[in-house]
Amino acid sequence: MSKLTPGKLAGLKAVSDPRGVIAAAAMDQRGSLQKSLAKERGAAADAHDLEQFKVHVTEVLTRHASAILLDPEFGLPASKVRNGKGLLLAYEKTGYDAATPGRLPDLLDVWSVRRLKEAGADCIKILLYYTPYEKTSINDLKHAWIERIGDECLAHDIPFFLETVGYDADGGDEKSLAYAKKKPEVVSGSMAEFGKERYNVDVLKVEVPIDMTFVEGTKAFKGERAYTRAEALQHFRDAETMTHKPFIYLSAGVSNPVFIETLELAAESGTKFNGVLCGRATWKEGIPIFAKQGAKAFHEWLETTGVENIENVNKALKAASPWYLKFGAKSMDELG
């Protein structure tokens, strides 16, 4: 395993809890959040709404998280109220151009790793839509793109968190039974690819390798089976073998109870995951409250239900392993 440079080590420590687990909250949603707020309100949501929403989430939830992930477009005011916790900043543009095939990524125009670091980032985060089943010509573009970002993070000695989100290369529905059966390979293949040294990724932010609603014998199960419980547990173990890098799970927009059950399944499988970057599973249900009742009511909701949600996640994180183990260290201090 490669040795951690001083800047990368400092950045990872900044976003971890004392145990060496990444218990981070995610609040870098932009386009999707704006749409959700507008839909609930029945009127447009503007930049100020997004900034305010992020400020309230950050102020309340960072008391119970090791770090917060924000975007530099609407999240900088929120970064000032993060209760001394670590800061990850997103470097990619929100969404993708649906007119171009392959869900190609793009970077924010007026930002660079240097600028994100100057804005206070402890770590850089990139979201990439990726499937090993995509055309080679498209994946080649993505591979080169990630290499460039990895080198930029290396030059500025800051940790690089890469979030890969799978999709159906044939345009099928990602919520279908057919895709649920393909998902373990999509997740495993992505982890195998971007765990390669050439990308200089420090932490992989990955989806769980199964879709809980298709796991027989779970509370989330909806009646159509893609996997038995035993098969689901094995998919967690198989994905883990794909990389030596630290990896954390994303909540992928599922509800809090479903995400908690997912983490319990990961724990049961014995997978040595290193934490979470959990967004919507903590604050999504507060969107209608902010949209219809305003910021004060939303703040109160966060102080009660929001805190309860993140505490549920923290309880489930008792099963997570410290990331320093992936570097062959027995403690954080051993790394310097």
Side-chain angles (χ1 to χ4, degrees), residues 104-145:
L104 297 178
D106 201 0
L107 292 176
L108 291 167
D109 292 333
V110 295
W111 290 94
S112 60
V113 168
R114 179 190 294 271
R115 289 178 179 203
L116 291 168
K117 200 173 171 178
E118 285 167 351
D122 294 303
C123 302
I124 304 297
K125 172 253 158 185
I126 281 284
L127 163 68
L128 178 70
Y129 289 96
Y130 189 82
T131 169
Y133 297 110
E134 188 51 277
K135 291 181 194 69
T136 309
S137 58
I138 287 173
N139 277 351
D140 226 14
L141 288 171
K142 294 180 180 181
H143 295 162
W145 191 71

Side-chain angles (χ1 to χ4, degrees), residues 231-265:
E231 286 165 346
L233 292 169
Q234 194 53 45
H235 286 314
F236 274 97
R237 296 179 198 119
D238 292 343
E240 181 184 20
T241 64
M242 293 293 160
T243 184
H244 297 295
K245 299 265 181 193
F247 67 91
I248 60 179
Y249 291 128
L250 57 105
S251 62
V254 299
S255 69
N256 191 261
V258 171
F259 191 52
I260 300 310
E261 194 182 12
T262 309
L263 294 177
E264 286 165 358
L265 209 59

Side-chain angles (χ1 to χ4, degrees), residues 55-65 81 83 298-300 302-304 306-307 310:
V55 162
H56 289 289
V57 168
T58 304
E59 204 178 347
V60 177
L61 297 188
T62 49
R63 292 188 211 123
H64 308 270
V81 293
N83 294 298
F298 178 54
H299 196 93
E300 283 163 15
L302 282 166
E303 292 276 12
T304 49
V307 167
I310 200 165

Side-chain angles (χ1 to χ4, degrees), residues 33-77:
L33 177 61
Q34 198 162 6
K35 280 193 201 90
S36 303
L37 285 171
K39 186 174 162 248
E40 290 296 340
R41 183 183 281 168
D46 60 13
H48 180 70
D49 289 319
L50 290 180
E51 285 181 4
Q52 283 307 299
F53 191 92
K54 289 166 188 284
V55 162
H56 289 289
V57 168
T58 304
E59 204 178 347
V60 177
L61 297 188
T62 49
R63 292 188 211 123
H64 308 270
S66 65
I68 183 95
L69 164 63
L70 291 162
D71 58 280
E73 293 177 283
F74 307 104
L76 293 180

